Structures are given as structure tokens and as C-alpha cells.
Amino acid sequence: MVSTGNELLDVTLLSLYVSGMATILGSAIGIPLGALIGLKEFGGKGAVKTLTYTLYGFPPVLSGLVVYYMFSRAGPLGDLGILFTPTAMIIAETFLVIPLVTGITITSVVEVDRSIKDTVKALGASPSQSIITVMREAWVGLVMACMIGFGRVIAEVGAAYLVGGNIDGETRVLTTAIMLETRMGHFEWAMSLGIVLLSVALMVFLFLRLLQEREML
Amino acid sequence: MKTAIALEDVSKKYNGVVALKGASFAVSKGEVFGIVGPSGAGKSTILRIMDLLEAPTKGRLLIDGQYVAQTDARAETVRRNIGMVLQKPVVLNRSVANNLGYSLMIRGWDEHRIAEVVDAELKRLGLHGRRRTNARNLSGGEMQRLCFARATVHAPSMLLLDEFAANLDPANVSLLENQVQEYMREDGNRTVVIVTHNMFQAKRMCTRIALIWDGEIVEIADRKKFFENPEDARTAAFVSGESVY
């Protein structure tokens, strides 16, 4: 149970840490992957895009289950001993961020006007310089991808519960704490935690929006 | 004069629709070559092929004495020696100075040298006071002047202009045309190819002109002959402003 101010702070900070790291890792993989899929021509591109969009609906509990199996004693990576740690939670949530960030990046870079892509090429940019320039032009969409990725993981409970175990002082985050408090009948306290969760999300989104609207110079 | 660029029997189809039929012509160094014709005749397609942005369906492109295709390893090097300005000014979502410096940045110029060149160029363009403004906040004329400067700041040996002054006021048209003339004066070995539907501009600027009609080059002549004594009836109709549709 989250009963003191210090405990609430710990749970809140852990929520931010796990969701933030999952968003950073998921974006570090999803943004380049999305740019590659969006800007390169290759066979089966349509199928890859459809698969990516389908994975938007990837159930958190399934992501948790896969990571649980991988890091359980019987699993191939069981020796690492990271099950029921924040690291396992970050890994499970990263899998949830990747398809969202990849998909939104694909859309964002494809939406960059063809005249920009042609101009960059005509000015003499190499293929890698062209991709970087187009990504910069798609900045608003890329930040949006990170926002949506963060929004998904800060609010999810299935993966965090399954691979974290909701251990007091170790892997308890705001969503799993809300679940616990609700089960214990502490509805008002659960509701308060919900308000804390929304406030944390609000602060992160405010920061990301400022980043998004930053004038490019 | 040596040949700067030549098309040999170049054709282009888009989804089965013919945009260009067997175009063959050569442009010499030191020449301002005009390509005129009605809208949809294939003028821009020729320019895109010349800049290696499009691969021809058939035929070959010769630049500086060597055949080159869009897929060649050296296509990027060849393209880096060509400047291109489109009808619609296209600026990147960054400052005026960074837009101008982009051409130099991708060529690996040192930051200090870029700053020096950009500073001098912006002063010349009358845009120095707005160097930190996002280029998207410039007027249409300022944007096009910036695009022109960005296409020429690295001193390419060939300039391809696609209706580059079509939507501008007379003052900006005059400024840009003067810049083209200045670009040519700086080095007698340079080449300019201008695509335009503006007869007056072609008359003012071009030494030789080609008329393209429905994807076909129907006549190529020097300026005087093209306007005063054209061989093809379609050229005569086009230069006299008769309806061609």
C-alpha cells in the first residue's frame, strides 16, 4: 500500500523512470526504423507497414508474457535474473512503444512534401543526408510519436504487473498501485493516485509540446 | 564550345503515359538554353532527367563528356555540380542562414567558412537582417531569391531553372534574371537551362531555344531565328501567342 508521501514519490519517480526509459529506447529503435521503412523502396513494403500498424494493438499483457517467458528461470535469458525488476518492465514496455513510434514515423516522413525530398536531392545531399533532412522536416510528427509512445506506457498496467510483480518499494508503479488500492477497497486513495498519474503525464506532455513547437532555426 | 549536357533519344513514360518522346539535343558550355512549350508538354520532365532526379525510360544522358545514369555510383557527384531551382520556392523548416548554408554543409564545408560565405551572400541578397528568421516566414519573392542563392552558392557548373520566376512580381523577376546573368558572367564555362512558358523571358535571356510540344522537341533554333523566322508552324503559333489548345 502507498501510504506515505515518500512512498508516493518513489512510486511516481519509478513510473516516470520506467515509462521514460521505455519511450527513449522504443523511440531510438522506432524512429530510424520508421524513417527507413517510409523512405526506402523495397519489396513487401506494404505488408511491413500493415504489420506495423497492426502491432499498434499489441496487448501489453502479451508483451509482458513474452518478456516473462524470456527472463523466467525456464526461459532462454533466465540466468540474467532481471525478472521482477524495473529493467524487465522497461523491456516489456519498449516492445509496446516500438510499433507506435515506427508507424507514426512512417506516416510523418511519407507526409513530408515530395518537393522537399526532390530539392534536398537536387542540392546534392547523399541518401543518408537526405533521410536526416527529411526526418528533421518531420520533427512535429516525430515528437508526436514519442508523446503517443509515452502515453501508452505510462498508462499501461498489464506488462508492468506481469514482469514487475508490483513489489512494494521495488517495482510498484502508479498503475499497479492504483490496481492494488482498488482491490483493497481504497477507492479514494486509488483515485488520488490516478490524479497523480494524470499530473505526471501532463507535465511530460507539456515538455514534449514545447519541444514540438520549438521554432526550427 | 564544348558540350555541357546532351540528351540522346531520351523518352520517358509515367505509368504507360508518354511524357517525352525521343528527345535529342546538346547544350554547350557558356550557353543559356531555353526550353519552351505549353503546360504539360514535358518541359519539367526533361529538366528532372537532366538533374538525374528521374531515370529515362529509354535513351542516354551525357554530362561533361561522360554517359551518366541515375543509378550510377557517380550520379551524386554529378548532381552536386548542378544547381536546380523549381517554380515553387521550397525552403527547409529552418532559418534563412541555415537554408543557404545547407548546400555547403552537405558538401562538408567547415562551419566558419560556411558562416562567412552565408553572411556575405545574405548581405548581397538583402536578407542579412532576416538571417535568423525561419525561411518559411519570408515572402514568395524572398524565398525564391533564397532558393536561387542556395542552388548557386557552391558555384555549380550548370544551372537548371524550372519556371523559376513564374509566380513573382516584376521586381523580383528582374532581380533573379540579373542573378542568372551574373552567374554566367562569373565563369564563361557555365551553362544554364531555363524551362519557361514565358516567351518574353526566353527572348530576354536565352541564346538558343527549343520548343517542346506534346513530349516532342519540334524545333531548336537560336533566339533570332526562333522568334523571327521559325520553321515549324507550331513554333510560329506559340511565339505569336495563338491558342495552342
Side-chain angles (χ1 to χ4, degrees), chain A residues 16-130:
Chain A
L16 261 176
Y17 170 69
V18 170
S19 309
M21 285 304 290
T23 307
I24 291 168
L25 287 175
S27 303
I29 297 166
I31 289 176
L33 189 63
L36 213 64
I37 296 169
L39 296 173
K40 286 276 173 195
E41 292 308 320
F42 57 89
K45 181 170 171 166
V48 171
K49 280 165 82 172
T50 306
L51 177 69
T52 306
Y53 298 141
T54 305
L55 290 175
Y56 281 9
F58 193 52
V61 74
L62 188 57
S63 172
L65 189 64
V66 172
V67 174
Y68 187 97
Y69 167 71
M70 297 290 281
F71 295 107
S72 67
R73 281 194 183 172
L77 300 171
D79 290 345
L80 294 176
I82 61 165
L83 196 60
F84 304 124
T85 67
T87 308
M89 295 160 79
I90 290 169
I91 294 169
E93 294 191 351
T94 299
F95 286 126
L96 301 176
V97 174
I98 291 171
L100 279 170
V101 173
T102 305
I104 298 166
T105 301
I106 292 172
T107 309
S108 303
V109 296
V110 166
E111 284 297 307
V112 172
D113 202 90
R114 186 187 158 192
S115 63
I116 296 242
K117 292 168 186 163
D118 277 352
T119 297
V120 165
K121 201 171 171 186
L123 286 170
S126 66
S128 58
Q129 287 171 329
S130 296

Side-chain angles (χ1 to χ4, degrees), chain B residues 79-204:
Chain B
R79 200 185 288 116
R80 282 190 170 203
N81 204 20
I82 302 173
M84 188 168 181
V85 183
L86 306 172
Q87 176 176 359
K88 178 185 153 204
V90 181
V91 292
L92 301 173
N93 187 18
R94 53 183 81 185
S95 71
V96 168
N98 281 341
N99 260 278
L100 186 51
Y102 182 81
S103 293
L104 307 175
M105 187 265 291
I106 57 176
R107 285 167 175 78
W109 282 37
D110 159 68
E111 255 181 58
H112 293 292
R113 205 168 147 223
I114 292 177
E116 274 173 26
V117 172
V118 165
D119 237 36
E121 194 68 16
L122 287 178
K123 277 179 187 154
R124 198 176 64 84
L125 285 173
L127 289 173
H128 193 260
R130 308 195 66 187
R131 64 191 180 281
R132 292 199 179 91
T133 307
N134 188 301
R136 291 187 176 173
N137 296 328
L138 296 178
S139 70
E142 287 171 331
M143 266 192 216
Q144 192 64 315
R145 273 154 48 206
L146 176 64
C147 289
F148 187 92
R150 191 180 57 191
T152 53
V153 69
H154 56 283
S157 62
M158 184 160 36
L159 194 53
L160 307 176
L161 306 172
D162 189 357
E163 305 277 15
F164 75 120
N167 299 327
L168 302 179
D169 58 277
N172 271 305
V173 172
S174 170
L175 269 169
L176 282 167
E177 288 183 358
N178 285 341
Q179 283 180 2
V180 175
Q181 277 152 2
E182 201 179 314
Y183 166 82
M184 288 301 283
R185 267 197 305 273
E186 282 170 6
D187 183 343
N189 272 323
R190 287 177 175 173
T191 309
V192 175
V193 179
I194 301 179
V195 154
T196 181
H197 58 251
N198 181 338
M199 285 296 108
F200 300 107
Q201 186 173 60
K203 208 169 191 174
R204 278 194 303 272

Side-chain angles (χ1 to χ4, degrees), chain A residues 167-184:
Chain A
I167 303 166
D168 192 12
E170 287 183 40
T171 57
R172 183 161 299 164
V173 287
L174 282 166
T175 49
T176 55
I178 290 169
M179 200 172 74
L180 179 72
E181 298 297 338
T182 308
R183 279 186 182 164
M184 291 168 75

